[in-house]
Amino acid sequence: MAWTLLVVAGIFEIIWATGLKYTDGFTRLWPSVGTVVAMAVSMICLSLAFRVIPMGTAYTVWTGIGAVGTVLLGILLFDEPKNAVRLFCIAMIVAGIAGLKLSDPS
């Protein structure tokens, strides 16, 4: 259950990080509300995952999920660069997340 919560926290991190682009500096009401709600859900799920998963592992996996998802959405939604170096770096982050999950004794 803790790992499920951690993945949900990571997904909501992607949502709020991407949502920041749409808030226009928190001057647009509904994108700002959605972003703040996503931030709250992400933090609550992360804090619940901390109960079982070691803090360093959970935080690193959470930021990794958020980073990979945000980069991929940047490529898909905002026409950000998609080149071999960026894709390799994303793969390295995914490998690190998998390694942390595989090394967790819980």
Side-chain angles (χ1 to χ4, degrees), residues 12 14 36 45 56 84:
F12 275 91
I14 296 166
V36 171
C45 290

Side-chain angles (χ1 to χ4, degrees), residues 44-90:
I44 290 166
C45 290
L46 178 62
S47 70
L48 293 172
F50 274 177
R51 291 179 173 173
V52 176
I53 302 169
M55 182 185 67
T57 300
Y59 184 76
T60 303
V61 169
W62 176 72
T63 57
I65 292 169
V68 168
T70 303
V71 168
L72 292 176
L73 280 181
I75 290 169
L76 293 171
L77 298 176
F78 306 116
D79 201 30
E80 293 180 0
K82 176 179 65 173
N83 56 51
V85 173
R86 286 188 80 173
L87 297 177
F88 175 75
C89 291
I90 292 169

